[in-house]
Amino acid sequence: MELSSDRAVARLEMSQIQGEDGEPFNDNSDGDYESLPPHVSVTTHMTAGAVAGILEHTVMYPVDSVKTRMQSLQPDPNAQYKSVYEALKRIIKTEGIFRPLRGLNITMMGAGPAHALYFACYERVKHSLSDIIQSGGNSHIANGVAGSVATVLHDALMNPAEVVKQRMQMYNSPYRGLWDCVRTVTHTEGVGAFYRSYSTQLTMNIPFQAVHFITYELMQEQLNPHRHYNPGSHIVSGAAAGAVSAAVTTPLDVCKTLLNTQENVALTSVNISGHLSGMANAFRTVYRVGGLAAFFKGIQARVIYQMPSTAIAWSVYEFFKYFLTKQKLEQVVASGQL
């Protein structure tokens, strides 16, 4: 599909469209890209968010599989890894080339709708709060609140997929496939098992997303102050946001992984029978098994996963938002409405 077009025509189209304040949208000063209209449709945000979310989770999925295993509190001797590269190499060699992709199907099924809702909610809440707090200007408070609200909705859809995904990623996973895992967990632990880590997920993701969005917007203020479509700035800002937010929330991610996987060896070692539930119990268990150091298990893999994933998500999201908006403008021009 040909994505490029005559820039002179595009600038003319953009210059003919006025914002809500009556001022025309200006093209980027370097002449390479046209600026995005500040208020695009919810459908555009949802489509862009869905594509961005699926790509974010799929491109770096093998590293996510390694992260889950490295966060195991008492891993099998055959699943103890020193680095992400060494882990991937050994998994592929001993378990097959497709083993790091196990659980990818449920992740894609959950990521599309979850991210569509996530980005649409974020943009709507951000603009609404910014209008109130900063009279339409950028507000870090609005960015943080919008990211938190969007996360509550996102995690409600994504949490069951996370449970299935992480159980299938673990070493010696007993499940034959996606539906076998869903049926077995439902039969043996009940539907509630799919939301056992929801409170912990929210406790982790609300600060994660608040830090993520604030860092991204701060970076954009420095690298792209006029908020034009600028791929380089979206990639750099996204990577920085992913690295910072991933690092500071790793302890909560370790607890979430324990609640999702219900790691039997670790639970048995501290005389816990049945199923572990609750964030406080997860924190106590992690500390009893491995001390303070256990809260940072897998931090290397988590940061390595989040940096490119977040960069991909933001760059793809901003591109699709730009592309879909430009298509809509071209349709308006072709219909003679301008």
Side-chain angles (χ1 to χ4, degrees):
M1 178 170 55
E2 183 62 47
L3 300 182
S4 61
S5 62
D6 190 331
R7 287 192 171 87
V9 174
R11 289 194 194 97
L12 175 61
E13 293 168 8
M14 296 297 288
S15 67
Q16 289 174 310
I17 298 173
Q18 293 185 331
E20 292 182 349
D21 58 357
E23 293 297 321
F25 296 120
N26 296 319
D27 64 343
N28 199 344
S29 58
D30 64 6
D32 286 337
Y33 300 98
E34 297 79 30
S35 57
L36 274 171
H39 298 288
V40 297
S41 70
V42 173
T43 302
T44 296
H45 286 302
M46 294 187 76
T47 304
V51 174
I54 291 172
L55 286 176
E56 172 191 354
H57 284 281
T58 56
V59 172
M60 296 299 294
Y61 188 82
V63 179
D64 184 58
S65 294
V66 170
K67 184 217 71 170
T68 296
R69 292 193 180 194
M70 293 181 79
Q71 287 182 336
S72 175
L73 297 179
Q74 291 193 343
D76 185 283
N78 293 321
Q80 294 179 353
Y81 313 109
K82 297 179 181 178
S83 68
V84 175
Y85 174 75
E86 188 255 343
L88 281 173
K89 185 177 178 181
R90 199 197 310 174
I91 290 171
I92 291 172
K93 182 178 179 180
T94 60
E95 302 176 52
I97 191 170
F98 294 111
R99 187 60 180 83
L101 299 178
R102 200 159 190 260
L104 178 60
N105 48 3
I106 185 63
T107 302
M108 293 178 67
M109 290 168 62
H115 278 71
L117 187 62
Y118 172 78
F119 276 106
C121 176
Y122 170 70
E123 293 285 355
R124 179 58 61 90
V125 174
K126 181 182 76 170
H127 284 304
S128 298
L129 291 180
S130 293
D131 288 341
I132 296 171
I133 299 172
Q134 290 284 85
S135 299
N138 184 46
S139 167
H140 298 312
I141 295 176
N143 298 335
V145 172
S148 299
V149 173
T151 299
V152 173
L153 298 177
H154 169 275
D155 287 355
L157 292 179
M158 199 65 192
N159 206 85
E162 281 284 315
V163 173
V164 175
K165 178 199 76 172
Q166 290 200 298
R167 293 198 180 207
M168 293 180 69
Q169 287 174 330
M170 293 295 284
Y171 180 75
N172 275 343
S173 173
Y175 309 106
R176 295 189 301 273
L178 163 61
W179 298 114
D180 177 53
C181 181
V182 172
R183 283 193 298 267
T184 303
V185 173
T186 303
H187 178 71
T188 59
E189 303 176 43
V191 176
F194 295 106
Y195 283 94
R196 190 178 284 135
S197 64
Y198 184 55
S199 60
T200 304
Q201 182 98 338
L202 284 179
T203 304
M204 175 186 73
N205 278 347
I206 287 177
F208 177 94
Q209 298 299 349
V211 172
H212 170 192
F213 281 113
I214 290 172
T215 302
Y216 181 82
E217 298 291 350
L218 281 171
M219 292 291 292
Q220 283 290 285
E221 283 184 359
Q222 301 300 315
L223 300 176
N224 188 18
H226 299 295
R227 301 307 174 99
H228 297 139
Y229 173 61
N230 188 324
S233 75
H234 302 318
I235 291 172
V236 174
S237 299
V244 174
S245 51
V248 300
T249 57
T250 295
L252 289 163
D253 192 50
V254 172
C255 293
K256 182 207 75 173
T257 297
L258 177 62
L259 288 170
N260 280 346
T261 60
Q262 297 290 307
E263 191 182 344
N264 290 327
V265 176
L267 298 183
T268 302
S269 69
V270 289
N271 299 318
I272 294 178
S273 58
H275 304 298
L276 182 69
S277 62
M279 183 176 66
N281 289 331
F283 263 95
R284 282 194 292 269
T285 303
V286 171
Y287 183 75
R288 287 173 63 187
V289 173
L292 289 176
F295 288 103
F296 294 93
K297 290 175 74 69
I299 187 172
Q300 178 196 41
R302 181 165 163 78
V303 171
I304 289 174
Y305 167 76
Q306 285 294 344
M307 282 186 70
S309 293
T310 312
I312 289 167
W314 275 111
S315 58
V316 171
Y317 172 66
E318 295 287 359
F319 167 74
F320 268 86
K321 192 166 68 172
Y322 161 76
F323 177 68
L324 293 172
T325 301
K326 184 175 177 181
Q327 266 195 333
K328 189 171 295 184
L329 293 176
E330 290 174 345
Q331 290 171 1
V332 172
V333 172
S335 65
Q337 295 181 30
L338 283 180

